[in-house]
Amino acid sequence: MKRLLGLILLSAGLGCSDPVAPVTRIEYPLESYGGQALPAVLFVDFEVTVHVLSDVISLGSDSTFMEVAHLRAASPIDTVFTADTVSGTYSVSGSNLYLLMASAQTAYLKIDGNVLRQSFSGGELVYRRR
Amino acid sequence: MLTRRLLLSVVLAAGTACSSITDGDDAKAPRRVLFIGNSLTETNNLPAAVKALADAAGVPALTIGTDLVGGTNLLDHWMGLAPAMIDRGWDIVVLQQGPTSTASGRAELRLMAARFAKRIRAAGGEPAFLMVWPESNNATGFPGVSRSYRLAAEDVNGFLYPAGEAWLETWRRNVSMPLYADGLHPSVHGTYLAALTIFGVTYRRSVVGLPSALNADGILIWINPVDARLMQQAVDETIRQHGRRPR
C-alpha cells in the first residue's frame, strides 16, 4: 500500500496525470490527536475548551491538497461550531509529505503505510487513510 | 514645546482642509466608542489617534473609553471589567486580541465574538473587530489573522477594521515602511495606519487628505507627508477590498 501511495503521489507530483482526466483524491481522516480519539481537546483557556471534531486531509492526483477541520469551542454558557479549511499543493520526498499552503506556510508529515503522522510539542497527530 | 505648538497648528490647519472630504451622515455618526484590547491598541494610544483624526475631519466629537490590558485576549476581558463597561452604552465597541492565526484561537475568537456582540447590542451598540497583524517573524501568519477577524466580524454582522491588511497593502507600495516597533507592537506608522483604517470604515470616507501629524493625547504621531499620502491611499484600497460594516 505504501508503494501504491508513493506511486500515486509521485505521479501526481511529477504532473504525469492526464490534464483532462478527473482528479482523484485520497482522504486521510484524523484518527487521534496527542493520543486522544476524536473529539479531542485541542486547547483550553480558562472556561473555554476547543475540541477537534473531525479533520480530513485530502490529497489530489493533481498535487493539490485540502484540509477541512471541524472544531467546537464551548464554555458553560455558550458553544460555537466552526469549520476551518486550508488548501495548497503537496510534494513527496521519500517518506515525507510536504504541504505548501496558499498562505506560504508549510508543514510536513511522515508517510507510514496508510497513516500520516505529524509531530507537535504535545504529541502526534495520526491520520489514517479512508 | 515649540514643536508641539507647531504640530497643533499643523493639525488644526489640516483639519480645516479636510472639510472638503465627502460628508457622511452626521446624524448616524458615532459619538461614543469603547476600545477593548491589549497592548497592540494601547501602544501609541491608538484610541486617541482615532479621536484626533475625527476632530481633524470635523465629524462629531468622540468620547473614547478604553479597557486595554497588556497580554490579554477577549476571554480575559470578559472575565474582567469589560461587561460592566459595555453596559454603560457605546455606539461602537472595538474588540481586539492577539494575532489569532491558529484554528483553535480562531474558534475561541468566534465564540467570544458571539458573546460580546450579544452584550454590546443589548446595550445599544455595534461590535467592531480590529484585525491586527502577526509577529514580525511570522509573515505567513497574515492570512490566518485576517481570516480569524473577518470570520468573527461576519459571524456577528459587525464592523471589520482590516488594519493588518492595510499593513500588507502599504508594504506592496513601499516594502521598507517601518510598521513594527518591535517583534509585534506597532511603530507610530503602524498605529497611524490602524487609526486611518478605523476612521475610514467607521465614517465611510476616503482617508486621503487627513492630517499626517496627530496629537494622540500627548503622544505625537508625525508621519512624513509623502509616506502619509502613500499610507492613506493604501488604506482606501484596503477598505475597498476588506472593510466591513454591519448590514
Side-chain angles (χ1 to χ4, degrees):
Chain A
M1 186 52 73
K2 181 174 178 179
R3 186 176 300 170
L4 178 60
L5 174 64
L7 282 174
I8 292 171
L9 296 179
L10 186 63
S11 63
L14 292 173
C16 294
S17 55
D18 181 343
V20 296
V23 175
T24 57
R25 307 194 77 84
I26 305 172
E27 293 191 337
Y28 291 83
L30 180 64
E31 184 176 77
S32 64
Y33 175 87
Q36 309 169 73
L38 303 191
V41 175
L42 198 58
F43 175 73
V44 178
D45 184 12
F46 295 104
E47 65 179 33
V48 175
T49 301
V50 178
H51 285 88
V52 55
L53 306 178
S54 67
D55 181 14
V56 179
I57 296 175
S58 167
L59 302 177
S61 56
D62 59 351
S63 293
T64 63
F65 85 92
M66 179 176 287
E67 180 178 4
V68 180
H70 289 87
L71 307 180
R72 178 182 64 214
S75 78
I77 59 171
D78 44 15
T79 300
V80 298
F81 294 89
T82 64
D84 226 289
T85 302
V86 293
S87 60
T89 58
Y90 70 85
S91 62
V92 175
S93 176
S95 61
N96 294 325
L97 171 66
Y98 295 94
L99 305 180
L100 175 61
M101 290 159 240
S103 64
Q105 287 180 304
T106 58
Y108 97 93
L109 300 90
K110 300 292 283 188
I111 301 170
D112 180 11
N114 284 330
V115 170
L116 301 177
R117 300 180 187 278
Q118 185 177 28
S119 297
F120 66 99
S121 57
E124 186 178 56
L125 294 100
V126 178
Y127 298 84
R128 185 174 298 279
R129 182 176 173 173
R130 180 171 282 157
Chain B
M1 180 56 92
L2 178 63
T3 305
R4 184 164 178 172
R5 190 177 299 166
L6 179 62
L7 174 65
L8 292 175
S9 301
V10 171
V11 171
L12 189 63
T16 305
C18 282
S19 60
S20 61
I21 294 175
T22 305
D23 283 340
D25 184 347
D26 280 355
K28 293 179 182 173
R31 264 68 169 182
R32 289 169 54 79
V33 179
L34 172 63
F35 287 80
I36 295 174
N38 59 29
S39 57
L40 298 183
T41 295
E42 191 172 32
T43 299
N44 302 318
N45 205 341
L46 172 62
V50 173
K51 178 173 169 53
L53 284 175
D55 290 346
V59 297
L62 287 180
T63 297
I64 297 288
T66 59
D67 181 13
L68 305 174
V69 183
T72 54
N73 65 9
L74 292 180
L75 176 58
D76 296 321
H77 283 286
W78 185 266
M79 298 169 79
L81 299 174
M85 292 191 71
I86 290 169
D87 291 347
R88 291 182 195 167
W90 303 87
D91 296 318
I92 295 175
V93 178
V94 183
L95 302 167
Q96 171 266 315
Q97 62 176 29
T100 317
S101 59
T102 64
S104 54
R106 185 173 305 128
E108 184 184 20
L109 173 62
R110 295 173 75 178
L111 178 78
M112 297 313 300
R115 194 187 292 184
F116 268 93
K118 190 174 175 184
R119 187 98 178 202
I120 292 164
R121 290 212 164 95
E126 289 290 343
F129 294 84
L130 173 59
M131 178 210 158
V132 291
W133 41 85
E135 296 82 353
S136 60
N137 62 359
N138 180 28
T140 58
F142 269 96
V145 176
S146 182
R147 188 152 47 118
S148 295
Y149 281 88
R150 178 177 50 78
L151 289 171
E154 289 175 356
D155 282 351
V156 302
N157 190 26
F159 287 93
L160 176 63
Y161 301 136
E165 291 287 354
W167 284 35
L168 291 175
E169 184 62 33
T170 296
W171 281 328
R172 286 186 195 106
R173 296 159 189 245
N174 180 353
V175 73
S176 63
M177 195 70 79
L179 302 180
Y180 286 107
D182 54 27
L184 177 61
H185 296 94
S187 66
V188 290
H189 290 71
T191 296
Y192 182 69
L193 265 183
L196 289 174
T197 305
I198 292 171
F199 179 92
V201 173
T202 300
Y203 294 101
R204 254 190 295 202
R205 292 183 173 193
S206 167
V207 299
V208 173
L210 286 171
S212 59
L214 303 172
N215 179 354
D217 200 18
I219 295 176
L220 303 182
I221 295 177
W222 185 89
I223 309 292
N224 172 317
V226 175
D227 288 347
R229 180 84 176 183
L230 180 149
M231 294 162 78
Q232 291 166 356
Q233 291 169 339
V235 166
D236 272 4
E237 176 60 22
T238 300
I239 291 173
R240 193 183 64 75
Q241 290 188 33
H242 302 283
R244 187 184 198 286
R245 295 173 55 85
R247 297 187 175 115

